[in-house]
Amino acid sequence: PRVAAAAAGDVTSPEEAARVDRVPVSEPAWYNCYGVGQCATVAVPLDYDDPTGPTVEIALLRVKARKPQSRIGSLFVNPGGPGGSGTAMAAASSMFLGDSILDRFDIVGFDPRGIGFSDTVACFPSTRAQSIVMAKMRMLFPYGTLQEGAFVKSVQSIGRGCSTTGATLAGAMSTAEVARDMDVLRRSVGDTKLTFLGFSYGTALGQYYANMFPDRVRALALDGVIDPVSWTGTPETQDKLLDDRLRSADGAYRALIKLLGRCDRVGARGCEFSAGDPVKHFAAIARKLRAKPLVLRYDGGSLKVTYADFISLVLSSLYSPYAGEMVTGIAASVETLLAAPGQVSAKQRALAREAVRDRMDRLRSPKRDFPYDNTAEAFAGVMCTDARHPADAARWPVLTARADVRAPYFGRAWGWGSAACAEDTWTVRDEDAYLGPFDRKTAAPVLFVGNYWDPATNYREAVSASRRLPGSRLLSSDNWGHTAYGTSTCVTRAVDTYLLNGTLPAAGTLCRSSMQPFGRNTKGAVETSTTIRVAAASTAGETKSLPPVAGLYPASVLPMNGR
């Protein structure tokens, strides 16, 4: 199908074209794998300025178009992270992509360099050395002088390790390098231009590609948007925390206050946390847990729930379309357990204890043992190499406390995620990292998708990024959770139509999701459920899942279910 072209777009710079076009390509040596697709590996230059030098092996997985006679080409997918597995997303594509997309595209996912099944970065000489460091980081964020001091030492160890032991690959993991890899892979699979669907951090990858290779764009759909100017920083903002630029904490706080207000309005029949003022009750819970952790005792042991654990439970719940019921459910349970003796019944206390214990068990990642798990290093390898950051990790306690004033509960939660990037200890650099411009005119318009209540990628990022890229279009949604594809017929149909033929939704389109907090479509929702009906995308009555999106922080630092 013909894709609408932008008028007289920019072209790839001679320097970038020389880097990627001199890399020889051939059809990947595909073989059947996992019972769903085909796998292959492709060697790309570690340094594109040295095309005959050392290489990095990139893992790919392809699910072929179901109707090859109507095949358009390849759709590259990326789940975000950084650190998410593109091969895993492609393998799961039949579970979340619309039938028209599956019919007409080969779905191609690749694990970015340093990540997953591609050649992986390792910043420690052994699992033992890594485990000693990571043991002090098994929390959403540190709270209090002792925890903060230990956390700072640990992230400094990561920065030094990635700048020495892991420097060869860590210093070549910038998003620009991944965009170059993707252009080589595009040629390898035989596509003349790129069609791409990226979520969360994957939206940054898509925008890097759009600006580095603007004349090689067929269609880019970017859902859960990171503004690359916020991501990389500028000389004026380089001393700010990454989240002081991205404002994910502000988005999470805005979503929390909004749903607590809705809880108050619907009352006890619709929300179990509605008694009194939910906003004040939530603040009281936080205040009590900051003063003293909650200890749950049960046969065979006990479980400590800290303030950071509670905020982690809340933030992970905000990632779900069922955020209203999940957030208020955990808040009501913790409030019950904090109640004085005699204020609640033994049965109420027992039910609350089991609810909190269940959520905590699913929240916490397993302890680190064999094999070596490079999740934290993979995340840091991209973020720290891409962006500008404050120099001294010892400043993070003050900077994150300041962020928590601006965005209560979540300023620390988001702020600490970039601490390994402090530039005094993360010293390895990628001389070929891309810092802009991010306003180049692409050969075809780019579709941005942003939802109002996203707790990870603030809606304002979608607004600013879409305004910056000429000819692009913003599709807005009022759904809850992280990213929007699959949460309403409106969003899914608009994205699929754009990917198929380049038709953009009308300017100013707002998609409305039926899954609103405390509504009839969310009552009784199972907390772990990610399946919803996507009527426009699937055959009648078929149930599709939400995309397996990887959030902005790794499980080692932010051990959340479903990120």
Side-chain angles (χ1 to χ4, degrees), residues 357-364 527-528 559-561:
R357 181 183 174 186
D358 177 65
R359 287 291 303 278
M360 287 290 293
D361 285 346
R362 287 187 280 113
L363 174 76
R364 287 180 168 167
E527 292 180 349
T528 57
M560 298 189 167
N561 182 57

Side-chain angles (χ1 to χ4, degrees), residues 212-235:
M212 294 169 66
F213 307 103
D215 53 342
R216 303 182 183 190
V217 170
R218 177 191 173 273
L220 305 180
L222 310 177
D223 183 6
V225 180
I226 290 173
D227 186 326
V229 174
S230 302
W231 178 255
T232 60
T234 65

Side-chain angles (χ1 to χ4, degrees), residues 145-224:
T145 303
L146 291 178
Q147 285 189 358
E148 288 172 344
F151 202 94
V152 166
K153 290 181 180 178
S154 292
V155 295
Q156 288 174 327
S157 295
I158 293 175
R160 293 189 185 102
C162 290
S163 300
T164 52
T165 303
T168 299
L169 191 47
M173 286 178 64
S174 71
T175 301
E177 304 291 9
V178 182
R180 294 177 184 117
D181 294 344
M182 188 157 61
D183 194 63
V184 171
L185 297 175
R186 171 193 60 77
R187 288 195 291 129
S188 296
V189 299
D191 285 16
T192 57
K193 292 187 177 182
L194 179 72
T195 305
F196 176 79
L197 174 60
F199 299 91
S200 196
Y201 159 77
T203 68
L205 173 59
Q207 289 172 86
Y208 273 70
Y209 188 93
N211 286 280
M212 294 169 66
F213 307 103
D215 53 342
R216 303 182 183 190
V217 170
R218 177 191 173 273
L220 305 180
L222 310 177
D223 183 6

Side-chain angles (χ1 to χ4, degrees), residues 71-123:
R71 178 181 175 274
I72 295 171
S74 303
L75 171 64
F76 281 78
V77 294
N78 182 279
S85 169
T87 59
M89 175 166 259
S93 58
S94 65
M95 299 172 63
F96 72 92
L97 285 176
D99 288 341
S100 59
I101 299 298
L102 297 168
D103 286 344
R104 306 195 63 188
F105 285 102
D106 292 344
I107 311 303
V108 178
F110 69 97
D111 291 349
R113 51 174 61 203
I115 291 165
F117 296 128
S118 296
D119 283 344
T120 53
V121 65
C123 298

